Every structure is written in C-alpha cells, then in structure tokens.
Amino acid sequence: MSDPVHSMRFAVVDTETTGLFPATDRVLQIGVVIVRGDGTIEHQFSTHIKRLVLKPGRLGAHHVHGITRVDLLRGMPPEIALQELQELLQGATFTAHNAPFDLGFLRSEAKRANFELDIPAHVCTLKMSRALDPQSTKSHKLSEIAKRYNIVNERQHDALADALITAAVLPRLLGELHITTVDQLARFTSTDRPRHSAQP
C-alpha cells in the first residue's frame, strides 16, 4: 500500500535571480521550506548568494526583488548555499512553483561551482494548479493562486516568502486534486535522473 501523502516531506524552494536565463543570469537568493503534506512546517532556510563582483545593472529587476549589493556581500558563497540545500533535500522531495525554472538556475549555479547537486525528482505546484483548470480560464501565477485560497503574501518576490506561500498552497492543491497517497502524486512528480534500461 502506498504511503499517505500527508506525512510526505516536501522541500519547497524558491529562487530570486538576475533574469530569466540560467546560462547567463545568476541566482541572488534561495528560500527553502520543509513542509509535510498536511501543511506542517518543519524548517525554514533563506540566504542571499555571495557575489564579490556584480557589474552595474546585473542585479536584474531590483525594483521588484529589492536585493542590494550589500545583501549579496553578506550572503553565503554559492557552494555553501548549495550544500545547505542538498542537506535539506535529504528525505524530502524538491517542490517549487514552476519547478523547471528554479531547477535550471540551481543546476547552472552548481555547474559553475563544480558542485554535484543531486535532485532525483521534483514536484511542480504550477502543473498541479493547471490540472485543476483544464479550460485555462484562470491565472496560475503564485500570487493569484494564493488569493484564491485567501493566503496573504506581504513580501512578494522574496525567496523565503514565496516558498512559504507555495508551502501553504501545496496542501490545498493536494486536497482539491484528491491526492491522498504518494502513488497518486506520481503524475505530478518528474524524475530527473537518467533512466537506465534493465540488464537482461
């Protein structure tokens, strides 16, 4: 019998970045919330990513995220932040709103830092929300989903604040999709490790 999803541990992650392209843009902030499927929060973590040199204009949409060069100078070096993330992922499933976006940036940062980031599978709350709206009649931006569930986010575009909102949205989505077991969640879980054919 499949395990109940309410006791499953999720590592809900959000990143703030300098732009939209992992190959050329950089991660500025990482927020992580460890939450159970029933909405119980176990741990929170947030850090800016230390940048010793960042050319003018390379902070990206500063007017949106509000991150300053001082924040970055006080942040964790990328490899230390990634190590912290990897430890938080032990026994928890990587989860994010538009997970491929955050994963793309984190993998690029890991490659630059020569760090082996092991994320075998991920859950995407954007994909879950869209499954509830097959006719595409609603917005599935995190802020709009939060409004529909009466979840208040007073600090949009802060990595930890957005991770907390996603962590609050997650059990609502599980409930609306009638997902009660880990097996039922499989259709929203993507496996990132390459599949190897069985030996004859």
Side-chain angles (χ1 to χ4, degrees), residues 20-94:
L20 302 175
F21 305 102
T24 54
D25 290 307
R26 306 299 294 270
V27 174
L28 299 176
Q29 185 188 22
I30 299 173
V32 186
V33 176
I34 305 300
V35 63
R36 296 272 181 180
D38 65 0
T40 302
I41 292 176
E42 296 184 347
H43 184 71
Q44 301 177 32
F45 165 77
S46 176
T47 185
H48 291 98
I49 304 302
K50 191 175 187 68
R51 304 291 182 202
L52 298 178
V53 178
L54 206 60
K55 295 179 181 178
R58 291 297 292 153
L59 280 172
H62 170 74
H63 64 286
V64 175
H65 54 61
I67 296 170
T68 67
R69 287 179 175 79
V70 173
D71 291 328
L72 302 183
L73 289 172
R74 293 173 177 169
M76 283 186 176
E79 62 275 15
I80 302 301
L82 290 166
Q83 179 63 48
E84 185 74 24
L85 172 62
Q86 189 69 79
E87 291 175 5
L88 289 170
L89 284 167
Q90 298 304 309
T93 300
F94 185 102

